[in-house]
Amino acid sequence: MAADETHRAIEAVYRIERPRLIAGLARMMRDVDEAEELAQEALLIALSEWPKSGVPHNPGAWLMTAAKRRAIDGIRRDRMQERKHAEIARELDNARDTSVEELEAAMDDDLGDELLGLIFTACHPAISPEARAALTLRLIGGLTTGEIARAFLSREPTIAQRIVRAKKTIGKAGLAFEVPRGSDRTARLASVLEVIYLIFNEGYAATTGDDLVRPALCTEAQRLGRILAGLMPHEPEVLGLLALMELQASRLSARTGPDGAFTPLTKQNRARWDQLLIRRGLDALGRAEALGGANGPYALQAALAACHARARRAEDTDWRRIAELYDRLRTTMPSPVVELNRAVAHSMAFGPEAGLRLVDEIADAAALRNYAPLPAARADFLFRAGRMAEARSEFETAAGLTRNMREKAFLLARAAACS
Amino acid sequence: MRVVVFVKATEDSEQGALPSAELIEAMGKYNEELINAGIMVGGDGLKPSSQGKRIAFDGPGRTVIDGPFAETRELVAGFWIWEVKDMDEALAWAKRCPNPMPGPSELELRPVVSMEDFAETMTPEGAEIHARNEQRLAGQ
């Protein structure tokens, strides 16, 4: 095997092991920075040793042992006085004496829990949602700062700073990298789910820039969702979120036409919907509902996405069911955006006048001021009601509000078609 | 990217030899790892080719050939569908699979074609037919 190929193979193994490696090291060192550095050093040792010795049978345990040895060396060299470090060194020394098998067994037991602990720590509510997303992508997704910056259309120093600040917050708060238990757990889990869905949406409904979707972020969020569902298989909302993401992602390649223009749901070529993801989404939704989670906000949204996924043709869509699901969602998750979508669903189920009635009830909501989808929806109702002049004016208002260039082009085209 | 990982058949799998208890357990743990890593999206094992059929095409002609089929090493005994970042990651995962057979065996990794790859030859009519078929495939 060529040297370059060997390096790539080793780096691929490292990428697989990295999140769990960092999770274990972070809990041990109580410090994300040190954990990242030790993991990186373990990679360098692997890159020099594995080409000679071959990839070890349990590469995760091997890397962990290498990182721990490096930690001991570091602690000894620096002659750290702090009690914390002395304790860690003693623990590590003891660990070093145990046989490799015991170490491996111990790691097998803890890994899931440690990874979950790291996810919960990276998504701690004390950190801002954007910083949580960046830190999660870095620590769990293994993305570089540059990759995260590109994904969020941000500058690299901005993201780097965000991550540094998040790590400081973790240090200051003295977070123990553990999975919260008891009453804290539900709120903390909500924070984790929020971050994963934020990452997904940043990819799915990019609010700025020329690219309508940045699928890499969606894929990353789906992977995070699957990992979380593997670690917490009995949490209905984890499965609800996973179902929602799989179902929405099933339409990714159908949402943009050959020229990159946005294609609305009803006009999409359903042959391009990913049936494997739809099956997985429906399966996860079924499990969430079986666990009694049918009315969770993510499960309800997944149920909505499932209505579209089940319709062979746009005209087969069960809009009455969708309207009914929105009636439920607005009590579980009250928000002006849900109200707006509910108006759209009712317009499809019961006619444009029903939509107009509902949309006019919420038109004054502060959160919807300057929100392009509101006039866009109203314009569509007016268009379907045959009130063309009003429709044109509303489409133009919507086009003036959106920051997405492709969406703007779509809305202007609809305005031009009002005659 | 999506990758199909084929478990190639061997004399043992073609004879319908049951896997050992150890292998069943090791494979279970491996599958668990794949699921926990968020990369496994599907997979199944296949019965020996003695229970399979082939249809040979020649112009309008259709001939049914009953299994078992001769070229054992070219047959498939099972498959996974993975979603990975690249082929390097798929290879790294494939290497840590327990040997699926009692003797020497092979896995074969093949990236999946997506609809975009057919964009040049896909007509609206063709797309419509695919829409119907794929929706049926989804069991709806």
Side-chain angles (χ1 to χ4, degrees):
Chain A
M1 213 195 290
D4 175 49
E5 211 174 314
T6 313
H7 271 215
R8 270 175 39 210
I10 293 173
E11 270 160 23
V13 170
Y14 174 73
R15 284 203 320 251
I16 291 172
E17 298 300 337
R18 189 177 179 273
R20 299 196 295 184
L21 194 57
I22 288 181
L25 291 167
R27 181 174 292 182
M28 196 172 79
M29 308 303 291
R30 297 281 191 268
D31 188 303
V32 183
D33 265 333
E34 277 183 60
E36 279 192 304
E37 269 168 39
L38 287 170
Q40 186 64 28
E41 286 179 34
L43 167 65
L44 294 178
I45 299 169
L47 281 171
S48 85
E49 293 203 5
W50 292 1
K52 290 172 275 174
S53 65
V55 176
H57 175 64
N58 187 336
W62 194 100
L63 288 164
M64 187 55 125
T65 306
K68 280 180 177 175
R69 282 192 185 138
R70 195 40 74 95
I72 298 172
D73 292 348
I75 290 164
R76 290 220 174 102
R77 196 171 48 238
D78 298 345
R79 292 198 187 117
M80 284 296 196
Q81 301 296 317
E82 286 175 53
R83 204 159 159 261
K84 175 181 127 182
H85 284 136
E87 261 172 30
I88 292 166
R90 248 199 316 281
E91 271 172 35
L92 291 175
D93 261 345
N94 292 338
R96 207 174 177 180
D97 295 335
T98 59
S99 67
V100 175
E101 289 82 54
E102 277 177 47
L103 191 62
E104 285 180 8
M107 289 188 62
D108 275 349
D109 285 346
D110 283 335
L111 283 178
D113 192 37
E114 287 180 343
L115 186 58
L116 198 52
L118 183 64
I119 294 174
F120 270 96
T121 304
C123 297
H124 196 279
I127 307 167
S128 77
E130 292 76 22
R132 272 185 249 160
L135 192 60
T136 302
L137 285 171
R138 165 79 169 264
L139 295 178
I140 318 296
L143 270 65
T144 63
T145 310
E147 285 169 331
I148 300 168
R150 274 197 299 283
F152 282 105
L153 301 180
S154 193
R155 287 170 49 251
E156 207 171 322
T158 313
I159 296 292
Q161 204 179 22
R162 220 176 257 176
I163 291 175
V164 167
R165 238 183 274 136
K167 284 177 181 169
K168 272 193 193 138
T169 309
I170 293 173
K172 256 190 231 149
L175 303 180
F177 300 92
E178 277 164 6
V179 182
R181 293 174 211 292
S183 59
D184 205 16
R185 190 184 165 99
T186 311
R188 293 280 304 276
L189 179 60
S191 172
V192 172
L193 298 180
E194 181 194 354
V195 170
I196 296 178
Y197 197 42
L198 184 145
I199 293 169
F200 182 85
N201 266 328
E202 190 59 33
Y204 193 71
T207 46
T208 52
D210 289 336
D211 264 343
L212 205 55
V213 278
R214 293 193 289 279
L217 273 183
C218 295
T219 313
E220 204 55 56
Q222 280 167 268
R223 189 192 276 234
L224 288 168
R226 289 173 193 157
I227 290 172
L228 199 62
L231 293 170
M232 307 182 94
H234 305 298
E235 287 288 348
E237 276 293 87
V238 171
L239 294 165
L241 172 61
L242 180 60
L244 176 60
M245 293 193 295
E246 304 275 36
L247 288 168
Q248 288 187 324
S250 75
R251 300 182 216 129
L252 269 177
S253 68
R255 291 172 85 227
T256 41
D259 54 349
F262 174 72
T263 311
L265 191 56
T266 48
K267 297 271 191 316
Q268 286 171 16
N269 175 357
R270 294 180 183 224
R272 299 186 65 180
W273 288 4
D274 188 325
Q275 294 299 328
L276 180 62
L277 291 184
I278 289 178
R279 272 197 296 278
R280 288 184 54 83
L282 294 175
D283 174 60
L285 176 60
R287 281 187 288 149
E289 289 172 344
L291 287 166
N295 276 318
Y298 288 112
L300 273 177
Q301 293 176 79
L304 284 162
C307 286
H308 295 295
R310 287 196 182 100
R312 263 178 224 190
R313 299 167 305 166
E315 52 269 39
D316 297 337
T317 310
D318 187 350
W319 285 106
R320 279 169 190 266
R321 161 105 178 126
I322 292 177
E324 184 253 322
L325 284 167
Y326 271 115
D327 292 346
R328 276 157 65 192
L329 186 61
R330 73 192 281 252
T331 59
T332 318
M333 201 179 86
S335 101
V337 174
V338 170
E339 295 289 345
L340 176 57
N341 289 335
R342 176 172 171 251
V344 174
H346 278 257
S347 88
M348 297 302 287
F350 311 111
E353 301 296 342
L356 278 171
R357 228 176 7 255
L358 289 180
V359 86
D360 286 340
E361 281 174 21
I362 53 164
D364 295 331
L368 295 180
R369 207 167 295 143
N370 303 325
Y371 184 64
L374 178 78
R378 200 162 185 278
D380 185 60
F381 302 158
L382 290 165
F383 179 86
R384 282 158 52 204
R387 292 153 66 177
M388 292 304 172
E390 291 164 273
R392 179 199 303 252
S393 148
E394 284 283 42
F395 275 126
E396 283 165 358
T397 307
L401 288 174
T402 182
R403 284 186 296 158
N404 185 296
M405 290 304 126
R406 298 213 180 277
E407 204 171 82
K408 191 189 197 80
F410 170 76
L411 291 166
L412 287 175
R414 286 215 62 183
C418 294
S419 54
Chain B
M1 66 185 294
R2 199 166 283 174
V3 175
V4 177
V5 180
F6 293 109
V7 179
K8 304 302 283 288
T10 63
E11 300 291 344
D12 289 302
S13 73
E14 275 296 276
Q15 278 160 23
L18 293 173
S20 67
E22 290 78 22
L23 180 57
I24 290 179
E25 195 184 318
M27 206 48 105
K29 279 185 112 172
Y30 179 62
N31 280 326
E32 204 172 23
E33 272 192 63
L34 294 173
I35 292 167
N36 288 346
I39 69 161
M40 177 162 159
V41 290
D44 265 314
L46 304 181
K47 290 189 173 177
S49 74
S50 58
Q51 299 185 46
K53 305 270 186 193
R54 278 180 179 174
I55 307 287
F57 291 78
D58 190 3
R62 307 282 186 271
T63 312
V64 176
I65 305 161
D66 291 317
F69 309 121
E71 43 306 281
T72 301
R73 292 180 61 83
E74 300 308 318
L75 301 176
V76 173
F79 68 93
W80 284 280
I81 302 173
W82 293 350
E83 256 180 16
V84 288
K85 289 181 184 166
D86 49 34
M87 282 301 268
D88 286 341
E89 188 186 10
L91 277 172
W93 275 110
K95 280 182 193 162
R96 53 176 75 179
C97 180
N99 183 351
M101 302 290 171
S105 70
E106 264 182 7
L107 295 184
E108 184 173 318
L109 283 65
R110 304 276 297 272
V112 172
V113 169
S114 67
M115 272 295 187
E116 284 76 46
D117 297 312
F118 289 130
E120 267 179 43
T121 47
M122 181 65 81
T123 60
E125 293 76 22
E128 172 66 29
I129 294 168
H130 275 275
R132 280 206 302 275
N133 293 346
E134 295 209 7
Q135 293 285 348
R136 280 185 188 163
L137 249 179
Q140 292 144 14

